[in-house]
Amino acid sequence: IRDLETAEVAINAALTGHHMFSTLHTNDAAGALPRFLSMGVKPFLLAPSLNAIIGQRLARRVCEKCKAEVALSTDEAAFVKKVISEIPQASGETAPPQSAWKFFKGTGCAVCNGTGFKGRLGLYEILTMSDEVKSALTETLSEYQVRELAKQQGMVTMQQDGVLKALEGQTSVDEVLRVAGEGS
């Protein structure tokens, strides 16, 4: 969806009971609502037409053939601790205790062409359109306000999802930083 006309067609279809799936270019799920508003979509039409917004980024998967445990730098460890501490209790997500944390990187092999990565995995966040989010919809709603409201209701950010996947050994912390950044 790139313009008001396309957005209105999609919203009208959703309002008449059709299941709509579409893409909208934003930095994250929270950015979708202000993006729709900046296109000129009326807030009272967004509330009943949206059920959920999914933000995604692709991260490289650590190569299973050359995966090796690594120690995090001081900055990476501080980043991980901060991100883990901010996962909302309402999300139901839990991280293992810090004493059990293990992180991995690929050392590079013939299977991964020396990159240390083989394949990709998604980092996701899902913003559900709760009554609180719907009632907050105004023409002045900011991305920051949406993100904070979603976090209060238990949304796990892409960055948090990435760190949880790094804790599972699926990707590396530096890859999460590259893809999902330090801010969130």
Side-chain angles (χ1 to χ4, degrees), residues 50-71:
L50 290 173
N51 292 323
I53 300 166
I54 301 172
Q56 71 172 10
R57 298 265 174 92
L58 288 176
R60 296 176 296 176
R61 186 181 295 273
V62 172
C63 177
E64 290 296 324
K65 297 293 182 188
C66 63
K67 182 191 279 190
E69 189 174 343
V70 294

Side-chain angles (χ1 to χ4, degrees), residues 33-128:
L33 295 175
R35 176 75 177 109
F36 273 121
L37 296 172
S38 73
M39 277 192 250
V41 174
K42 301 292 181 232
F44 67 87
L45 291 175
L46 276 178
S49 63
L50 290 173
N51 292 323
I53 300 166
I54 301 172
Q56 71 172 10
R57 298 265 174 92
L58 288 176
R60 296 176 296 176
R61 186 181 295 273
V62 172
C63 177
E64 290 296 324
K65 297 293 182 188
C66 63
K67 182 191 279 190
E69 189 174 343
V70 294
L72 297 182
S73 70
T74 305
D75 289 344
E76 288 173 329
F79 165 75
V80 169
K81 286 178 191 173
K82 178 182 179 291
V83 170
I84 293 294
S85 72
E86 293 174 352
I87 294 176
Q89 271 193 305
S91 71
E93 291 288 339
T94 57
Q98 187 174 345
S99 60
W101 289 0
K102 291 183 179 182
F103 296 95
F104 298 89
K105 280 188 180 179
T107 58
C109 66
V111 172
C112 64
N113 292 323
T115 65
F117 296 100
K118 183 75 173 167
R120 301 225 178 221
L121 73 149
L123 307 184
Y124 302 100
E125 63 186 17
I126 302 173
L127 188 158
T128 55

